[in-house]
Amino acid sequence: MSLPALPIVERDSTRYEAAAQLFERALQAGCLDANVLYMLAMARKRQGKLSEARNVLRKIPQPDANVLLQMGLLSLQENQLAQAEDEFARAWQMDPQSYEICYNLLLTRLTRGKIEDCLALLPAALELAPRHPAQTQEDERRSLLVLQALLQAYHKNDNRAPLLAELTAADEQCLLRTLRSLGQLDTALSLLKTLTKARPRSTAVREAYHEAALVKAKELIDRCAWMDAERLLRSLEREKNGNRATQLVLLNLLGCCACMTQDFDSAIKYFLAAIKLAPKDPRLHQNLALAYELKGELAQADPHWNRFFDLLDDRVPVPPDIPHYLDHLVYESLGRLAARYSEKEKWASALNYVQRAAQLRPNDPDTLERLFQLYNQAKRPQDARRTLEKLRQLRPSEPQYEMYELDLIEVKGLDDIEKLLTGIDRILKRYPNDGRVEERAINMVGNVLPLMGTLCDQLTDQMSKIIDQLRNLPNYQVNWSAVREVMRDLLREFQKLRRITGKCLPLVNSDEQRRIIRDLADHIDKKIEACRSMGA
Amino acid sequence: MSQSAEPIVLELAPLPREQVGPFLLLGLDKTADKETIDAHWAERLKWARKGQSKVPLEDINWAREVLSDIERRIRADAASLNIDTTDGVLAQLAQRYGVQEGKPTRTWQALDNEKTLADYRLPAEVPDAASVRAALIVPKLPEDVPAVPLLLERLAQQPLDPWAIDLKG
């Protein structure tokens, strides 16, 4: 089935261009000779100008079988199978003695999955094949016979085809080559399935079937038809295949499908099995780590992420247009993992990944900023301060870093809040039109509002306890000087809190925050009044 | 109760697009170049418009947007599953079956029979000679040159001396 075909496009097309120009001039001068049109079309075909060649062939008033054959070949080249079939069929009607036309029509129909039409054409092809002057005529005829046997077995759904059972290795290879060359996975897969039933002991056939099924599964996955792909792959899983490479691909694809159908336990099982076959494949470790992540088991994912980073090397294919791709990939992966751990408030793990990212890019301000934040979260003020120093060296005029300095204040009481707000106010006045500073200031103020509320509640509780005691004690037992002393202290604290709310109000921008502050201020005013009435 | 022996498979809500990732949404390898990304995006747009794909149009556009930005693309790589192994075994298999850039293409060699042009005669319609002759119409001489027949008649009546003809001239 492997007769030499004439090349459609030739490398040196300059002489064809010269010829084409001459023919075109002849046509422009009024020449109506069909031969000139044909020769022009052939010149264009050899130049690879398929649509031009087709246009010229269409101008031939009475196309014969050969012209239609040429049109069919052009259609094939353009992957227009239906059109090619139509043109070959018309050519075949005109010249039923042409093996080339018959063969092309047969294979086009086979590619289109028209098994019955192929079976109808095969006797004629077999009759013509021996007359073909190629040296491989015996092989050609034999190949057609084998193909006929396979198509008959498929058509009748009968696996007892004696010819198929007796195939030589060469016959088998030739048939597999033909099926692989169809470029039509559904047809190839169906025929290979029939062949596996007819030749159950053939390893080559079984492997070919597995390969075709894997490629078909990939096609389904490319269309996001995960469940269909999974169904096909599971049928392969049941039929054990000895080939390590295809087994590896099968397990990986099953793992991917299981992930996409949210069966994470199965996905992990498949990826683990795949890693057993290829323990040094970084992409498989990445898949397993992602499956663990999707399942919510970040700690289990960790060792596989580390393995992924260790194994990334020149073997890993990268996009052609992005330089230093793998370095970027490692950096972004570390950053991503840090973010994942931060979301879960696992600061130590997050810090570990950002530290590694900072080792890769020691002078990257964004990374150092994240490192600073995480040191701060992990209550490591010394490391945070050191990182901030480095940031200041890298960006000396960055106003945000002054705000970072305020992040280092450990806010526990009213004095800390006051210190923080004074600092914010100072920085805002220094950088009056800096949007980022303003935004950060608003966030910081928003963060201390709950603490202010808590402190206010604590003072109110103290005051309530004293008032309760006063209500329950007879007047002569009350130590009024001590009460006044305590009330004076409470008054001072409430006044301080009131002053702080006054400072907060211009620093917030949302109505909700303003309402909270006003309510707090009203509450404090009432308490101040109460303190005074109690003799403070 | 259903009589079918097939188990009923419930389909869960799909994963969010960020978890599926732009590579899987567009059916791309992680090594895809810009041209391939655009081609796959255009193809999936067609599928979505024809209802041949479950992937929403906005996810298809989102995937292309992510892959067009280098930083976002690399971040997406870190968070996306790999359909193929590092050695690219699946890509090799796909190539063996004629699948190039996600599209199956036939790889069998067609048989050509370009005729030898020297001997080749395309069928051409040759007209019948009698009908061509019959179709020829000799124009009548115009009446506004009446002297021409008279002059021709005189010329024909003049005696002809064959020896006086100068053949060399």
Side-chain angles (χ1 to χ4, degrees):
Chain A
M1 206 64 77
S2 52
L3 283 179
L6 289 174
I8 293 282
V9 186
E10 293 199 355
R11 279 184 190 170
D12 180 19
S13 62
T14 46
R15 64 198 184 102
Y16 293 114
E17 178 57 38
Q21 281 177 9
L22 278 172
F23 291 134
E24 269 173 2
R25 280 167 60 190
L27 289 171
Q28 280 164 7
C31 173
L32 294 171
D33 191 343
N35 264 310
V36 175
L37 286 165
Y38 179 78
M39 287 188 284
L40 173 59
M42 292 307 100
R44 289 299 183 211
K45 184 179 92 167
R46 287 184 177 224
Q47 285 181 288
K49 296 180 175 176
L50 303 184
S51 60
E52 283 181 37
R54 172 181 296 287
N55 288 340
V56 176
L57 284 174
R58 275 190 187 140
K59 285 180 190 164
I60 294 176
Q62 279 185 312
D64 70 350
N66 187 49
V67 171
L68 287 168
L69 167 68
Q70 294 303 328
M71 288 172 83
L73 289 171
L74 293 173
S75 300
L76 263 192
Q77 197 68 10
E78 289 165 339
N79 218 17
Q80 303 290 338
L81 291 174
Q83 198 175 330
E85 187 193 344
D86 179 54
E87 283 154 351
F88 288 140
R90 282 164 61 203
W92 177 240
Q93 270 183 352
M94 286 184 182
D95 184 5
Q97 296 305 312
S98 163
Y99 178 67
E100 290 83 4
I101 295 171
C102 182
Y103 174 86
N104 292 340
L105 180 59
L106 176 71
L107 268 281
T108 308
R109 283 180 172 168
L110 189 57
T111 304
R112 297 194 72 203
K114 294 185 166 181
I115 306 295
E116 273 184 55
D117 291 345
C118 290
L119 281 169
L121 200 60
L122 266 161
L126 280 164
E127 201 180 307
L128 290 169
R131 282 200 287 271
H132 193 266
Q135 289 177 340
T136 54
Q137 52 180 286
E138 280 308 312
D139 294 341
E140 191 70 10
R141 202 176 139 70
R142 172 85 180 156
S143 303
L144 289 172
L145 275 170
V146 170
L147 179 65
Q148 189 180 37
L150 175 63
L151 297 188
Q152 277 167 348
Y154 171 79
H155 187 57
K156 292 176 189 164
N157 199 13
D158 180 8
N159 309 319
R160 292 163 301 171
L163 183 59
L164 291 180
E166 293 160 8
L167 291 185
T168 63
D171 289 338
E172 195 177 69
Q173 280 308 317
C174 183
L175 184 58
L176 292 179
R177 234 184 350 259
T178 304
L179 296 180
R180 282 182 181 130
S181 72
L182 293 179
Q184 194 54 254
L185 284 172
D186 290 325
T187 311
L189 199 57
S190 308
L191 293 175
L192 280 167
K193 195 167 190 176
T194 304
L195 194 58
T196 49
K197 285 175 186 165
R199 296 180 59 75
R201 288 183 184 174
S202 166
T203 315
V205 171
R206 204 169 53 245
E207 276 180 17
Y209 174 68
H210 272 243
E211 289 170 5
L214 290 173
V215 177
K216 178 68 191 170
K218 162 86 165 64
E219 190 185 73
L220 291 168
I221 288 171
D222 283 349
R223 286 176 170 264
C224 297
W226 317 112
M227 291 186 98
D228 295 338
E230 194 174 34
R231 220 168 289 134
L232 175 63
L233 292 167
R234 277 183 193 254
S235 70
L236 290 187
E237 193 192 7
R238 285 190 288 272
E239 298 167 24
K240 293 289 173 198
N241 178 21
N243 187 316
R244 181 189 155 279
T246 50
Q247 190 65 15
L248 181 62
V249 171
L250 171 66
L251 290 167
N252 185 45
L253 287 180
L254 275 166
C256 291
C257 288
C259 266
M260 290 297 122
T261 53
Q262 299 169 55
D263 179 4
F264 303 123
D265 287 323
S266 298
I268 290 166
K269 187 187 84 183
Y270 288 127
F271 288 138
L272 279 169
I275 285 173
K276 264 190 189 172
L277 290 177
K280 290 187 176 175
D281 188 322
R283 290 299 194 181
L284 290 180
H285 282 283
Q286 185 188 13
N287 282 355
L288 180 56
L290 286 168
Y292 276 125
E293 268 191 31
L294 286 167
K295 205 188 163 195
E297 294 179 352
L298 282 184
Q300 300 282 345
D302 255 5
H304 296 287
W305 278 121
N306 289 329
R307 196 86 183 101
F308 168 64
F309 296 135
D310 292 343
L311 290 169
L312 276 181
D313 57 22
D314 297 344
R315 290 176 306 141
V316 180
V318 294
D321 44 359
I322 307 177
H324 310 296
Y325 187 82
L326 292 181
D327 295 340
H328 292 307
L329 180 60
V330 173
Y331 174 78
E332 293 295 347
S333 301
L334 289 168
R336 181 185 157 277
L337 287 168
R340 295 278 291 160
Y341 277 106
S342 298
E343 281 165 24
K344 304 267 176 195
E345 298 189 359
K346 295 191 172 174
W347 307 117
S349 302
L351 184 59
N352 173 32
Y353 283 116
V354 177
Q355 279 173 327
R356 287 166 71 179
Q359 278 170 7
L360 290 178
R361 295 188 190 174
N363 294 322
D364 180 67
D366 292 338
T367 312
L368 290 175
E369 279 180 26
R370 288 168 82 180
L371 191 60
F372 166 80
Q373 305 289 2
L374 284 169
Y375 275 137
N376 214 9
Q377 288 286 359
K379 307 281 179 217
R380 288 169 61 174
Q382 294 304 322
D383 292 324
R385 211 174 288 282
R386 211 172 35 247
T387 310
L388 187 57
E389 278 308 310
K390 200 167 179 187
L391 274 170
R392 279 197 168 130
Q393 283 168 13
L394 289 168
R395 287 180 179 168
S397 54
E398 173 61 56
Q400 285 246 68
Y401 296 157
E402 292 201 31
M403 302 295 277
Y404 284 4
E405 188 74 52
L406 298 180
D407 278 341
L408 293 173
I409 298 172
E410 200 179 351
V411 182
K412 283 180 179 168
L414 287 174
D415 290 336
D416 302 324
I417 295 175
E418 197 163 20
K419 193 174 159 190
L420 182 74
L421 292 175
T422 312
I424 291 172
D425 195 41
R426 177 176 46 83
I427 296 166
L428 281 173
K429 278 179 184 152
R430 192 183 297 169
Y431 305 102
N433 296 317
D434 193 311
R436 285 183 309 155
V437 171
E438 272 175 29
E439 195 186 326
R440 190 155 180 84
I442 289 163
N443 283 338
M444 287 173 94
V445 175
N447 288 340
V448 294
L449 284 183
L451 182 61
M452 283 163 62
T454 311
L455 290 172
C456 182
D457 289 344
Q458 285 173 2
L459 293 173
T460 309
D461 279 351
Q462 281 182 34
M463 197 172 161
S464 303
K465 275 180 193 164
I466 293 165
I467 291 169
D468 281 348
Q469 282 174 7
L470 287 176
R471 277 183 188 145
N472 293 330
L473 284 173
N475 200 18
Y476 64 89
Q477 282 187 355
V478 177
N479 181 353
W480 285 104
S481 64
V483 169
R484 274 193 285 277
E485 188 65 31
V486 173
M487 282 300 162
R488 265 197 293 277
D489 288 347
L490 279 173
L491 178 65
R492 264 196 301 277
E493 290 297 300
F494 273 124
Q495 281 172 335
K496 196 188 280 176
L497 196 54
R498 182 66 179 83
R499 206 168 49 241
I500 290 169
T501 54
K503 277 185 181 174
C504 278
L505 202 56
L507 296 175
V508 295
N509 66 347
S510 84
D511 290 340
E512 178 61 16
Q513 285 177 329
R514 280 201 195 98
R515 189 190 58 75
I516 291 169
I517 294 170
R518 283 201 193 101
D519 288 351
L520 192 62
D522 289 346
H523 180 77
I524 295 166
D525 286 344
K526 281 178 195 160
K527 295 299 159 191
I528 288 172
E529 203 58 41
C531 286
R532 282 189 179 133
S533 69
M534 298 286 288
Chain B
M1 287 286 282
S2 169
Q3 298 294 311
S4 168
E6 284 284 307
I8 299 166
V9 183
L10 292 177
E11 208 164 333
L12 293 170
L15 284 174
R17 65 189 182 191
E18 288 78 10
Q19 287 183 353
V20 178
F23 294 99
L24 289 187
L25 284 173
L26 295 188
L28 285 164
D29 291 336
K30 288 190 172 175
T31 53
D33 58 12
K34 195 181 175 315
E35 241 172 58
T36 316
I37 293 168
D38 286 347
H40 279 230
W41 166 77
E43 192 178 37
R44 270 141 193 88
L45 275 192
K46 272 188 222 159
W47 292 350
R49 283 183 185 142
K50 288 179 188 170
Q52 294 170 344
S53 163
K54 288 180 187 173
V55 184
L57 212 61
E58 59 178 13
D59 287 4
I60 295 169
N61 288 328
W62 169 83
R64 189 212 192 189
E65 202 182 297
V66 170
L67 296 180
S68 305
D69 179 308
I70 291 180
E71 211 169 294
R72 288 175 76 191
R73 174 187 174 147
I74 297 170
R75 245 177 267 152
D77 181 344
S80 303
L81 290 168
N82 304 285
I83 295 297
D84 207 349
T85 57
T86 302
D87 299 338
V89 179
L90 187 55
Q92 288 163 26
L93 292 181
Q95 210 171 2
R96 193 178 293 174
Y97 281 83
V99 181
Q100 288 161 357
E101 311 246 316
K103 279 184 191 166
T105 320
R106 57 110 204 157
T107 53
W108 53 269
Q109 287 271 310
L111 298 185
D112 198 347
N113 187 18
E114 261 182 41
K115 297 284 184 187
T116 314
L117 295 175
D119 308 327
Y120 187 45
R121 289 285 173 271
L122 267 170
E125 206 173 322
V126 181
D128 179 40
S131 61
V132 171
R133 192 170 294 140
L136 287 173
I137 300 161
V138 181
K140 283 182 180 175
L141 283 170
E143 288 176 3
D144 54 349
V145 277
V148 171
L150 189 68
L151 288 170
L152 285 173
E153 203 174 320
R154 276 185 194 167
L155 187 68
Q157 282 169 1
Q158 277 181 9
L160 185 69
D161 177 9
W163 308 111
I165 297 169
D166 181 13
L167 288 172
K168 286 178 188 171

